[in-house]
Amino acid sequence: MTIRVNGTEVASPDDARVSLLDHLREGLHLTGTKVGCNQGACGACTVLLDGQRVLSCLTLAVQADGREVTTIEGLSEGDGLHPLQSAFIEHDGFQCGYCTPGQICAASAMLRELAEGVPSYVTADLAQEHVSVSREEIRERMSGNLCRCGAHNGIVDAIFQVATEKAA
Amino acid sequence: MNPVSYQRASSLSEAVQMAETSRLLGGGTNLVDLMRKGVEQPSRLTDVTALSAAIEETGSGGLLIGAAARNSTVAAHPLVRTRYPMLSRAILAGASAQVRNMATVGGNLMQRTRCLYFADVAGSRCNKREPGTGCDAAGGFDRYHAILGASSACTATHPSDMCVALAALDASVRIAGPAGERTVPLVDFHRLPGDRPDLETVLELGEVIETIEIPASPFAARSGYRKVRDRASYAFALVSVASGLTLREGRIDEARIAFGGVAPKPWRAHRAEAALRGAVPSAEAFMAAAALELADAAPLAGNAFKIELAKRTLSAVLTDLTGDDR
Amino acid sequence: MSKVQNAIVGSVRTVLGWMPSQWLPGGTPDPLIERRAAIGRQASRLDGPLKVAGRARFAAEVAAERLSYATLVHSPIARGRITQLDASAAEGAPGVILVLTHRTMPRIESPALISMSDFSAVGNSDLPILQDAEIRYNGQVVAVVVAESQEQADHAASLLAISYARAEPATRFEEAKAKSRTLDSLLIERNHVSVGKAERELAQAAYCVDNLYRTPWQNHNAIELHALTVFWEGEDALTVHDATQMIAPSAAVLAKIFGLKKDRIRVLSPFVGGGFGGKGLWDHQILAIAAARIVGRPLRLVLSRESVYRIIGGRSPTEQRVAIGADADGRFTALIHGGHSVMPTYGACPEAYTLGSRALYRAKSFEILQHHVDLDVVPNTFMRAPGEAIGSFALESAVDELAHSMGIDPIELRLRNEPERHPISGAPFSQHARRQAFTDGAKRFGWERRVPEPGARRDGEWRIGMGCATGSFPYARMPGASARITLRRDGSAVVACSAQEMGMGTSTVQTQHAADRLGLSVSEVTFELGDSALPAAPMAGGSSQTASVAGAIIAAAEKLVGELVRLAGNDSPIAGLRAGEVRLVDGGVGSIEDARRHEAYSSILARAGRDEISVTATGKPPLEMLKYAMHSTSAVFCELRVSDVTAEIRVDRLLGSFDCGTILNPQTATSQFKGGMIMGLGLALTEETLFDERNGRIMNPSLADYHIPVHLDVPEIEVIWTGIPDPRSPLGARGIGEIGITGVAAAVANAVFNATGKRVRELPITLDKLL
């Protein structure tokens, strides 16, 4: 069985205990995906699994067999930066940079969820098909990604900018 | 984590067969974490995420949700959002977007308590982990623990948000097993701890959750889920309330109420519902109904505040649901 | 921390007080204060592109052939002995290479405790590290398991069979208070300050408040787990990729412990995923290095989040008494601050929560004294603004309480007690504009909209309140900071020292600094850090790194001037000028008096036939700290809502107004301030390490159960500053890393009082305390 990681087929590990996170970092040396808790509580290990944001620390690598994994290393096309990556730099959406890949991966999926009209806990009217972008919506939807340096404002500003540019 | 083998069930019957000798794995958001902590030590895992994840209407106007449906899919589904908004809201109140993308509906039902002592294999005694060994939560940190339905053996709470809404909505659980299929009301699916807190649900060995059925609901217009917690987001409930009601001629026709965060299972508030039937909506009536439901509440050293909090939260939710702008 | 230290520090201060300021560092203001190009300019972090792409390489991300993986096993009891230890099942488990216990661990010395007299000593405790069967705290490491994979190591760790004989631990704060210790000094300060008769003044005061405040255990919770990757070359050469905020000190201490020559050990830490005081030298590095030497293979140890809680100490809990007496005009007649915090006898980090109370207000009398409670616990350590973060909660709550009881505005009360000089030492302030910080902040925040009467503002079920507080954090520049400047023939420069980059923006800001110092553009300068092979920089702590490194670069630049003048010789436009008559400007050396006399670096080096010139120097001793009262100060404003139904608190607005000297990079500085303020929100509202006093066990060793603020908890924060340069510090700058958190908890608590009329004197302010 194989996993497609950033477009490349890779073997899944023999040991079923190996998390997708450890497989990426230790097995494939794709260390852009970070380990912050291994408890499903911080979001630093966020990757896209078939386009959906998930926690790679609580995903066994074997569960990703036959599926497509996108990590921070595969987020942008070519050598350039993804618009979110540029916006994070512009708005200083990080300090130490450790939670950053997880924040950016989560944000990229979140933008798509917003565009598809997926509601959140703070969406006033769940019946509405469209969700309007607001900082509060972004904050709620990004609350699964902890940041200890306190770059929250910059992160939200960066995402808000990309979200509204996209919509414009 | 102990060595473990992994297999995938491609059909319900295969899952039933495998379930007798393995643990079922959905999104893994709880089970994998508990395996890493040593709380769970299965030697074999059966991935059941390939089973039915369909969300479809039933003939009687209800909804049938496959156990493998992801939490996020259910919350975002147009029929859930329009007919059962309290369920959408409850799911969206839980965990994070990443976790909801992973977690399955079946797994959500099966998730285990977040009691700190339950999770501490190396350092704490726990009757839920090892029946009869004692409970170190007693006299310890019990702020998140139960005020209703607990026993001297265990006061841990069930952490689900989704199940609270399902309890209020009269959902039922379709179970497949070696002896065939059966259906259990969601409110009877989870057990109270008694002297066997390790037995958390009515599932027997080899049984597999197949679907959740939610009957047609008249509550869509007046229903909600409110969760009170220590952070604004991404924290388990101290108290949560799922409620829906209908009004007729200025009186409450029918009310549905369930509490989360206060009991070892999603707590359907039958007494409060009965008290409200036919009542004229008022803050006094709501508080009286809440007080009735919580009359038997047994607070621990650190969680007596939950009684008042539960009453106030319920009253506020009911006030909101009976408001003119609904 | 003794009477001797008090005497030495006291006499040095006395001598410096008499000494003309020109003789001292900072005596003449840094010329760059007036002559800035890159400094003070908004600049995105230079390491940004690496970080957003996930290409910044952290300690656990160094690849290696034949890498082995380690995991730790912790004691579940607080006090006692190991009576039986059966490692056979673990040793026989698949993939296991080594099980290291007290029986097999090589005999080593523990690192020397952190000390104010020896800055190379960095130990948080002097307990033996896996040397005997004794258990001294719950969580202590009892074994290290090394295996071919992390999964195998973790599993084998669960197979160790260990029996313990339990002894009665000291784990209850209240009981241990009776046997507390009272030391003579507190960091570099005298512990006991007694000016006038404070208790008597308090008893006679027209107005007074006298209350107890409590703050809990807390943990740093940097998102990057503590981790290291270890490479031994034979038995006598060691390379450690560590997540540390003390590179050079760690290298020195590890060399001593493992009997290595100083040039045979290298500690690398180019990126650190957050530190906040927690990423020091602890047991795990020593254990991993010892284990790697035995297995003879590269080894990686990434602590589990649980292990971080078990063996990396956090902020000590405190119980503080603050009493303030005031006359009818609100002038303080007595300021009393004291209490208890935990510091085990084997620890070294006093929680100096009274330091701010010595610096903030003028008062007729002072009585300040701290006591240490000795518990059997993981040694506590410094955590962002140790002392000040929680001391300011007590003091600034008390000031608010006093203002309320007097019926005057809390800002007005503070300004009435604004000191002209340091209230205790009498030393002059180097620069002090807290009054401006307050007035600017109040105006920007709209403080005039605050309704003094509690509970008066409502919005639906929410009660709205405003609060403010002030903070003070001492300036520090560490002695012994060195830097190397290498000028190349192409006119570019490399500036290097073993500084730490944990996200403060050090690499970016020091690049800006070096560019201005050398008269180059930012693109012509490379700043290297994160490697003990570079000239030694002190640890990153005490908000001191920027000033310390800047002082070293200043010294190196001065030396460079001399070298360049010599090298330029007689055929240069600057021939005949002495070092004191030139400066580094426009990519070369130029006369201060005559701008036409200038020669480019490239020209000087070319004529001398040199490819490069390199100088290394150590910054001058930081005597300015002792001559002047130097403090970063702040005014913090908070507006929040408290639900009448659930007592949930939502912070809507937070503004910090800072007086910290020159702001070197507005963008990274803003992030530093905000980061501190957000940690302050956690301190105020959600954070607590749950320490079970029955057995000394931390019960929430998890980011799910220890609540640091999430995005939805964090409002849009506003940050402003006076920007007035400090004439006594390098670049005119004082520290900004810790002043941000200081005062925030009090501002929040005071806003909660304004919203509800309820005064909560125990952190965190969770809803159950308001219901």
Side-chain angles (χ1 to χ4, degrees):
Chain A
M1 288 293 275
T2 58
I3 311 169
R4 242 180 123 72
V5 178
N6 300 330
T8 305
E9 298 280 339
V10 300
S12 54
D14 298 329
D15 187 340
R17 289 174 295 184
V18 177
S19 65
L20 178 58
L21 171 63
D22 274 359
H23 192 52
L24 291 168
R25 284 172 66 84
E26 303 299 332
L28 306 173
H29 304 296
L30 288 171
T31 54
T33 306
K34 303 302 183 190
V35 51
C37 68
N38 249 340
Q39 297 164 326
C42 78
C45 67
T46 301
V47 299
L48 308 182
L49 188 57
D50 293 338
Q52 302 269 337
R53 48 176 165 164
V54 300
L55 300 175
S56 61
C57 77
L58 294 184
T59 304
L60 299 176
V62 288
Q63 288 177 283
D65 265 341
R67 302 174 73 181
E68 170 87 40
V69 176
T70 306
T71 69
I72 189 75
E73 290 93 344
L75 198 62
S76 68
E77 288 166 22
D79 292 334
L81 293 178
H82 185 280
L84 278 166
Q85 292 172 319
S86 305
F88 267 61
I89 295 173
E90 185 186 335
H91 293 278
D92 214 29
F94 54 92
Q95 291 199 51
C96 78
Y98 199 79
C99 73
T100 314
Q103 301 271 1
I104 292 174
C105 282
S108 74
M110 190 213 72
L111 290 178
R112 193 183 46 73
E113 292 161 13
L114 266 176
E116 288 172 359
V118 171
S120 84
Y121 185 66
V122 301
T123 307
D125 182 0
L126 294 177
Q128 282 214 324
E129 283 176 28
H130 299 286
V131 181
S132 50
V133 180
S134 68
R135 283 189 163 75
E136 195 192 17
E137 280 284 0
I138 292 171
R139 288 192 180 110
E140 161 59 18
R141 289 159 190 265
M142 290 299 293
S143 281
N145 290 81
L146 303 184
C147 167
R148 189 54 160 168
C149 294
H152 304 77
N153 281 183
I155 293 168
V156 171
D157 286 347
I159 298 170
F160 187 78
Q161 176 181 306
V162 175
T164 46
E165 272 173 4
K166 254 191 174 172
Chain B
M1 196 186 290
N2 285 355
V4 68
S5 68
Y6 171 88
Q7 58 192 351
R8 289 179 177 182
S10 53
S11 68
L12 186 62
S13 57
E14 203 174 88
V16 169
Q17 209 172 34
M18 293 171 167
E20 293 196 21
T21 53
S22 67
R23 284 299 304 269
L24 304 185
L25 175 68
T29 56
N30 191 215
L31 181 56
V32 171
D33 186 36
L34 291 175
M35 287 167 65
R36 203 168 275 145
K37 290 184 166 107
V39 176
E40 298 267 14
Q41 303 189 342
S43 56
R44 193 175 293 177
L45 290 174
T46 298
D47 187 330
V48 289
T49 54
L51 302 191
S52 172
I55 300 174
E56 51 204 5
E57 291 186 77
T58 61
S60 52
L63 213 58
L64 200 61
I65 303 172
R70 306 284 172 175
N71 285 198
S72 54
T73 311
V74 178
H77 197 279
L79 288 179
V80 179
R81 286 158 68 178
T82 50
R83 294 187 190 170
Y84 311 98
M86 84 164 83
L87 177 59
S88 266
R89 186 83 68 192
I91 292 172
L92 294 169
S96 69
Q98 287 94 318
V99 173
R100 297 192 295 269
N101 276 339
M102 301 165 72
T104 62
V105 166
N108 192 317
L109 258 63
M110 296 302 294
Q111 72 178 304
R112 309 197 67 189
T113 184
R114 298 285 164 163
C115 172
L116 302 173
Y117 299 87
F118 171 69
D120 182 25
V121 172
S124 302
R125 298 172 303 156
C126 173
N127 286 325
K128 188 183 276 294
R129 255 191 288 111
E130 292 177 78
T133 55
C135 168
D136 277 333
F141 293 108
D142 54 18
R143 201 166 157 271
Y144 275 85
H145 285 65
I147 51 173
L148 291 166
S151 70
S152 57
C154 183
T155 59
T157 48
H158 193 263
S160 173
D161 291 293
M162 182 188 84
C163 290
V164 180
L166 289 177
L169 288 168
D170 266 347
S172 56
V173 187
R174 187 92 177 140
I175 297 167
E181 302 197 353
R182 64 186 177 122
T183 299
V184 178
L186 185 116
V187 291
D188 298 330
F189 181 78
H190 298 98
R191 298 167 182 256
L192 291 177
D195 56 2
R196 287 299 302 274
D198 55 317
L199 302 177
E200 295 172 354
T201 71
V202 298
L203 274 194
E204 301 286 343
L205 185 67
E207 286 192 318
V208 179
I209 301 172
E210 185 183 348
T211 53
I212 309 295
E213 184 174 350
I214 314 174
S217 160
F219 306 115
R222 296 181 189 272
S223 81
Y225 185 77
R226 182 163 178 175
K227 181 177 184 180
V228 184
R229 45 188 154 175
D230 279 327
R231 288 195 288 215
S233 184
Y234 204 15
F236 292 96
L238 290 164
V239 164
S240 70
V241 171
S243 183
L245 49 79
T246 50
L247 293 179
R248 186 155 45 174
E249 293 164 5
R251 290 178 181 271
I252 293 174
D253 190 34
E254 195 182 354
R256 294 283 186 78
I257 299 164
F259 284 111
V262 297
K265 59 187 278 187
W267 190 265
R268 179 75 180 265
H270 291 295
R271 288 190 201 172
E273 290 176 7
L276 289 168
R277 203 163 294 133
V280 177
S282 71
E284 294 72 29
F286 300 153
M287 279 309 265
L292 200 61
E293 190 62 46
L294 288 148
D296 297 339
L300 305 165
N303 70 2
F305 72 94
K306 280 188 173 182
I307 298 175
E308 180 65 16
L309 184 62
K311 289 181 191 170
R312 290 195 197 178
T313 307
L314 174 57
S315 178
V317 167
L318 294 173
T319 303
D320 183 41
L321 297 185
T322 51
D324 292 338
D325 51 348
R326 283 271 169 175
Chain C
M1 287 184 282
S2 63
K3 287 197 168 70
V4 178
Q5 184 195 307
N6 286 345
I8 294 170
V9 172
S11 46
V12 170
R13 278 192 172 139
T14 307
V15 172
L16 292 175
W18 288 95
M19 208 178 269
S21 54
Q22 300 91 289
W23 295 9
L24 297 175
T28 313
D30 184 347
L32 275 202
I33 291 173
E34 301 296 326
R35 208 157 54 80
R36 293 182 255 150
I39 286 288
R41 278 238 293 271
Q42 184 94 358
S44 292
R45 294 167 198 269
L46 299 172
D47 52 16
L50 280 181
K51 286 178 173 175
V52 298
R55 290 194 290 120
R57 193 70 78 222
F58 292 84
E61 299 169 356
V62 177
E65 297 287 327
R66 299 184 68 238
L67 186 60
S68 61
Y69 294 84
T71 200
L72 304 181
V73 181
H74 304 276
S75 163
I77 69 163
R79 206 84 173 95
R81 284 184 69 77
I82 295 173
T83 52
Q84 282 186 314
L85 194 158
D86 182 358
S88 55
E91 284 165 346
V96 171
I97 305 167
L98 172 72
V99 177
L100 195 59
T101 68
H102 66 278
R103 294 179 190 143
T104 50
M105 173 77 179
R107 298 285 84 98
I108 52 158
E109 293 289 317
S110 294
L113 286 176
I114 290 174
S115 155
M116 289 300 124
S117 51
D118 176 6
F119 284 89
S120 64
V122 293
N124 287 284
S125 105
D126 57 5
L127 290 180
I129 300 169
L130 206 58
Q131 299 290 300
D132 57 30
E134 283 292 312
I135 301 301
R136 295 168 176 93
Y137 65 87
N138 197 323
Q140 174 186 322
V141 176
V142 293
V144 183
V145 180
V146 183
E148 298 290 341
S149 75
Q150 189 68 58
E151 289 74 19
Q152 289 170 332
D154 291 349
H155 173 238
S158 72
L159 301 177
L160 273 173
I162 307 177
S163 304
Y164 300 89
R166 288 168 194 258
E168 192 58 34
T171 45
R172 296 179 189 272
F173 187 91
E174 201 57 39
E175 286 173 13
K177 260 167 62 182
K179 292 183 286 183
S180 63
R181 292 176 295 143
T182 310
L183 303 182
D184 288 321
S185 9
L186 197 61
L187 304 175
I188 65 166
E189 303 295 330
R190 207 175 272 280
N191 181 10
H192 189 193
V193 170
S194 189
V195 177
K197 303 273 185 212
E199 292 290 352
R200 197 166 66 194
E201 294 286 353
L202 183 72
Q204 296 169 352
Y207 295 94
C208 72
V209 288
D210 188 350
N211 288 297
L212 285 181
Y213 301 85
R214 291 183 177 84
T215 64
W217 287 102
Q218 291 182 334
N219 280 79
H220 310 81
N221 280 315
I223 300 297
E224 180 201 27
L225 296 160
H226 291 63
L228 68 162
T229 309
V230 185
F231 297 83
W232 279 97
E233 248 177 81
E235 284 277 309
D236 67 343
L238 173 66
T239 302
V240 183
H241 298 265
D242 192 13
T244 179
Q245 57 191 93
M246 40 183 69
I247 291 166
S250 289
V253 173
L254 291 172
K256 190 153 173 268
I257 291 174
F258 290 98
L260 301 172
K261 293 189 181 129
K262 280 192 173 167
D263 60 351
R264 303 292 281 163
I265 179 167
R266 191 171 176 198
V267 174
L268 292 129
S269 195
F271 296 101
V272 182
F276 317 113
K279 292 246 172 83
L281 185 66
W282 295 86
D283 293 6
H284 68 281
Q285 289 110 324
I286 292 159
L287 291 166
I289 293 166
R293 194 183 226 174
I294 296 169
V295 301
R297 287 169 56 172
L299 180 145
R300 178 168 296 155
L301 172 61
V302 180
L303 296 196
S304 67
R305 183 54 67 178
E306 178 181 349
S307 286
V308 175
Y309 279 87
R310 299 260 175 259
I311 65 164
I312 311 294
R315 198 194 295 278
S316 162
T318 64
E319 180 188 88
Q320 307 173 46
R321 176 194 173 207
V322 175
I324 307 174
D327 66 17
D329 294 329
R331 289 180 216 291
F332 293 174
T333 54
L335 202 171
I336 298 170
H337 193 174
H340 294 82
S341 63
V342 172
M343 184 173 79
T345 52
Y346 44 81
C349 303
E351 187 70 36
Y353 49 86
T354 60
L355 289 192
S357 296
R358 300 156 193 243
L360 273 171
Y361 299 111
R362 188 175 52 197
K364 190 175 166 195
S365 66
F366 287 90
E367 183 65 29
I368 294 173
L369 183 62
Q370 295 195 201
H371 309 285
H372 299 314
V373 174
D374 176 26
L375 295 181
D376 297 323
V377 288
V378 56
N380 64 294
T381 191
F382 299 130
M383 177 168 160
R384 202 170 200 167
E388 275 81 356
I390 51 179
S392 62
F393 164 66
L395 177 68
E396 290 295 290
S397 292
V399 171
D400 196 72
E401 295 186 59
L402 182 65
H404 180 73
S405 71
M406 297 182 68
I408 63 175
D409 183 273
I411 296 177
E412 172 60 25
L413 179 62
R414 288 181 173 92
L415 296 184
R416 279 186 201 173
N417 292 284
E418 182 72 6
E420 298 300 320
R421 303 171 77 85
H422 191 278
I424 307 295
S425 72
F429 287 117
S430 55
Q431 178 269 323
H432 186 74
R434 192 171 63 120
R435 185 178 292 272
Q436 183 186 332
F438 249 118
T439 45
D440 290 355
K443 191 171 168 198
R444 183 70 166 249
F445 191 71
W447 181 254
E448 77 281 356
R449 291 202 306 275
R450 173 180 179 266
V451 181
E453 184 198 340
R457 283 180 68 196
R458 295 191 69 114
D459 176 15
E461 73 169 59
W462 299 91
R463 292 184 188 270
I464 299 168
M466 280 190 195
C468 73
T470 188
S472 166
F473 196 85
Y475 162 87
R477 184 163 71 83
M478 300 267 192
S482 307
R484 181 174 66 219
I485 301 175
T486 305
L487 274 181
R488 293 183 184 138
R489 198 159 168 172
D490 63 4
S492 68
V494 179
V495 180
C497 70
S498 69
Q500 293 82 191
E501 175 58 271
M502 309 185 289
M504 311 85 88
T506 302
S507 55
T508 306
V509 166
Q510 295 295 356
T511 302
Q512 292 174 278
H513 167 211
D516 283 6
R517 187 69 62 188
L518 300 174
L520 297 171
S521 67
V522 165
S523 62
E524 290 167 318
V525 176
T526 308
F527 184 73
E528 293 178 348
L529 49 53
D531 182 349
S532 67
L534 303 174
M539 65 168 289
S543 298
S544 66
Q545 180 164 266
T546 300
S548 304
V549 171
I553 293 175
I554 289 171
E558 280 174 11
K559 194 168 169 185
L560 180 68
V561 169
E563 294 284 318
L564 286 167
V565 167
R566 200 175 50 77
L567 206 60
N570 296 327
D571 300 327
S572 165
I574 60 165
L577 293 174
R578 285 173 305 177
E581 296 167 337
V582 298
R583 61 186 183 190
L584 306 179
V585 63
D586 295 336
V589 186
S591 162
I592 295 173
E593 296 285 317
D594 181 357
R596 288 166 303 177
R597 297 184 66 184
H598 180 275
E599 183 170 14
Y601 300 134
S602 52
S603 165
I604 295 174
L605 287 171
R607 194 172 56 255
R610 296 277 292 270
D611 287 332
E612 61 176 46
I613 175 173
S614 189
V615 296
T616 301
T618 302
K620 290 179 183 153
L623 297 177
E624 73 274 19
M625 285 167 64
L626 297 176
K627 182 172 175 73
Y628 302 101
M630 302 178 74
H631 300 269
S632 289
T633 60
S634 69
V636 191
F637 301 83
C638 175
E639 184 173 66
L640 49 72
R641 288 173 290 147
V642 182
S643 165
D644 250 355
V645 176
T646 62
E648 287 167 290
I649 298 170
R650 297 283 182 265
V651 175
D652 289 323
R653 291 199 300 139
L654 198 60
L655 182 145
S657 177
F658 296 95
D659 182 44
C660 306
T662 309
I663 295 302
L664 304 177
N665 178 334
Q667 186 169 41
T668 56
T670 298
S671 292
Q672 274 284 74
F673 288 130
K674 286 185 177 180
M677 292 169 78
I678 291 165
M679 202 176 277
L681 286 181
L683 170 69
L685 296 173
T686 57
E687 293 186 31
E688 178 173 11
T689 305
L690 299 174
F691 178 81
D692 194 323
E693 289 207 328
R694 296 173 301 176
N695 61 356
R697 192 160 175 85
I698 290 169
M699 288 313 304
N700 59 340
S702 137
L703 286 176
D705 302 308
Y706 181 108
H707 291 139
I708 73 171
V710 298
H711 278 289
L712 198 59
D713 291 307
V714 179
E716 193 70 25
I717 296 172
E718 218 180 332
V719 169
I720 59 175
W721 48 71
T722 64
I724 303 166
D726 187 321
R728 308 303 176 192
S729 69
L731 298 165
R734 291 192 299 265
I736 62 169
E738 294 167 280
I739 187 64
I741 186 174
T742 307
V744 173
V748 170
N750 296 340
V752 167
F753 176 77
N754 183 240
T756 64
K758 286 185 181 133
R759 177 62 64 180
V760 180
R761 300 191 184 91
E762 184 176 5
L763 298 180
I765 308 173
T766 46
L767 60 88
D768 44 309
K769 292 172 184 162
L770 289 168
L771 273 176

